[in-house]
C-alpha cells in the first residue's frame, strides 16, 4: 500500500457533529477532499446545509441534519438517517462543543450543566449510538475533539472557563476508556486537543488577549484553517491503524 493510499478515504462515510462552521467545518473539508462522503449535523441546520453544499462540489455525497447532541432522541434519529442514506458510518467526529466564561465563584450551575451536557454527554450519546453500527460491522474510527485546556490549567487571564476545561479533560479520559473497551471490535477511538484557533468560540478571548496568548506559544502563532486538517485525516484513515486511545495535541507547543 502506498503512502497516499494510507490516507485515501474514497467511499468511506463520516458523520461530523458541529460541522457547519469552525473546526468542524475544517475537518469535514479535509475528509471530503480525501474522498469521504459527509454527513454534517448541528443545532443550526442552515450552517450545515451551506457547508454540505460546498463539500458536494468536491464530488462526494453529503447530508445536512439538525441535531441537539444532548438529546438521545435527536442523536438516534440522526444516526438512523445517515445509516438509511449511506448504509454505514465509518468515521465519527465528535466536534460539537460549548463554553462559558466566568470566574469559578460566579459561574451559574446551569452554565456548568450546559457545558458538561454538550461536551461530555453529547460525545457519549453520539459515540454510543454510532458505535452500535460500528461494532456490528467490526470497524470504525471515532475522533473526539478535546482541547489543550483539558491538559493544563490556564491562568485566569488566559482562560477563565472551568466548566469547559473540566469537560475537555473528561473527553480525553473518555477517549482512553472507550478505546480500551472497543478495541476488540476494531473500533478505534482517539482525540485531538487543539490549542487556540480563530473560531466563534475563541473570538472574544483572542480579541482581548490575542497578543499575550501568542507570546506564550512557542511557535508564536495561533492555528489557521489548515492546521487541524492533517491530524484529522491521519486519525480517520488507515494511516493510524495501530493508534487508539491517544490524544494528538495541535497547539503550537503551548502545552509544553
Amino acid at each position: 500500500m502506498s503512502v497516499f493510499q494510507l490516507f485515501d478515504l474514497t467511499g468511506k462515510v463520516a458523520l461530523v457533529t458541529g460541522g457547519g462552521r469552525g473546526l468542524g467545518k475544517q475537518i469535514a473539508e479535509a475528509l471530503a477532499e480525501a474522498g469521504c462522503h459527509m454527513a454534517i449535523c448541528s443545532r443550526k441546520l442552515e450552517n450545515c446545509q451551506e457547508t454540505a453544499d460546498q463539500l458536494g462540489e468536491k464530488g462526494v455525497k453529503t447530508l445536512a441534519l439538525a441535531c441537539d447532541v444532548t438529546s438521545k432522541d435527536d442523536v438516534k434519529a440522526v444516526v438512523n438517517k445517515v445509516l438509511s442514506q449511506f448504509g454505514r458510518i465509518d468515521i465519527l467526529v465528535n466536534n460539537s462543543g460549548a463554553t462559558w466564561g466566568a470566574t469559578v465563584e460566579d459561574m451559574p450551575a446551569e452554565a456548568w450543566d450546559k457545558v458538561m451536557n454538550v461536551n461530555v454527554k453529547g460525545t457519549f450519546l453520539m459515540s454510543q449510538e454510532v458505535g452500535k453500527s460500528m461494532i456490528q460491522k467490526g470497524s470504525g474510527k471515532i475522533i473526539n475533539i478535546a482541547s489543550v485546556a483539558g491538559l493544563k490549567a490556564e491562568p485566569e487571564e488566559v482562560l477563565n472557563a472551568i466548566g469547559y476545561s473540566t469537560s475537555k479533560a473528561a473527553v480525553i479520559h473518555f477517549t482512553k476508556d472507550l478505546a480500551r473497551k472497543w478495541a476488540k471490535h476494531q473500533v478505534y477511538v482517539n482525540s485531538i486537543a487543539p490549542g487556540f484557533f480563530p473560531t466563534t468560540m475563541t473570538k472574544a478571548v483572542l480579541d482581548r488577549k490575542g497578543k499575550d496568548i501568542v507570546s506564550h506559544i512557542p511557535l508564536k502563532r495561533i492555528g489557521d484553517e489548515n492546521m487541524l486538517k492533517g491530524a484529522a485525516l491521519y486519525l480517520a484513515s488507515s494511516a493510524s491503524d495501530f493508534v487508539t486511545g491517544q490524544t494528538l495535541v495541535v497547539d503550537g507547543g503551548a502545552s509544553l
Side-chain angles (χ1 to χ4, degrees):
M1 183 181 290
S2 74
V3 69
F4 297 105
Q5 289 174 310
L6 284 174
F7 290 92
D8 185 15
L9 298 179
T10 301
K12 299 287 187 180
V13 177
L15 170 59
V16 180
T17 72
R21 66 183 188 183
L23 300 185
K25 181 178 180 180
Q26 294 169 26
I27 291 170
E29 289 172 346
L31 303 188
E33 287 174 16
C36 193
H37 302 307
M38 299 300 309
I40 300 167
C41 70
S42 77
R43 286 172 297 174
K44 295 184 178 179
L45 179 60
E46 60 272 22
N47 290 345
C48 293
Q49 190 60 62
E50 182 179 350
T51 296
D53 291 342
Q54 293 171 358
L55 298 181
E57 297 174 1
K58 301 180 185 294
V60 300
K61 298 176 183 177
T62 63
L63 176 65
L65 298 165
C67 183
D68 175 359
V69 296
T70 70
S71 165
K72 187 172 180 64
D73 290 340
D74 267 24
V75 167
K76 188 175 182 64
V78 162
V79 172
N80 284 341
K81 286 177 183 176
V82 177
L83 291 173
S84 176
Q85 175 150 333
F86 294 106
R88 59 193 291 167
I89 299 174
D90 301 291
I91 301 154
L92 168 64
V93 181
N94 284 308
N95 172 73
S96 288
T99 190
W100 190 285
T103 62
V104 178
E105 56 270 28
D106 293 328
M107 185 173 185
E110 313 85 72
W112 174 277
D113 290 342
K114 175 186 175 181
V115 172
M116 296 298 286
N117 280 339
V118 174
N119 296 359
V120 184
K121 181 182 178 182
T123 296
F124 162 69
L125 289 177
M126 191 62 75
S127 298
Q128 182 185 54
E129 197 61 39
V130 173
K132 293 174 184 177
S133 68
M134 289 181 170
I135 288 170
Q136 189 173 17
K137 69 185 182 70
S139 65
K141 299 265 186 171
I142 296 175
I143 304 170
N144 299 320
I145 304 305
S147 170
V148 67
L151 293 169
K152 59 180 292 192
E154 296 282 10
E156 61 184 64
E157 60 269 18
V158 174
L159 183 68
N160 211 0
I162 195 168
Y164 178 79
S165 301
T166 303
S167 72
K168 291 304 185 179
V171 167
I172 290 169
H173 188 77
F174 174 82
T175 297
K176 293 179 181 179
D177 207 326
L178 190 60
R180 171 71 74 173
K181 303 299 191 292
W182 284 357
K184 63 185 178 184
H185 302 296
Q186 297 302 300
V187 175
Y188 297 75
V189 189
N190 291 290
S191 67
I192 299 174
F196 275 99
F197 281 74
T199 67
T200 302
M201 190 179 292
T202 63
K203 185 178 187 305
V205 67
L206 287 175
D207 285 348
R208 295 195 319 270
K209 303 168 182 175
K211 289 184 179 179
D212 185 52
I213 288 170
V214 168
S215 72
H216 289 89
I217 298 173
L219 290 181
K220 302 303 180 187
R221 62 182 185 270
I222 62 172
D224 64 25
E225 68 275 9
N226 293 310
M227 289 179 177
L228 211 62
K229 292 182 176 180
L233 180 57
Y234 170 66
L235 292 177
S237 68
S238 295
S240 60
D241 274 357
F242 202 49
V243 177
T244 196
Q246 304 304 307
T247 297
L248 179 52
V249 183
V250 185
D251 70 346
S255 56
L256 296 176

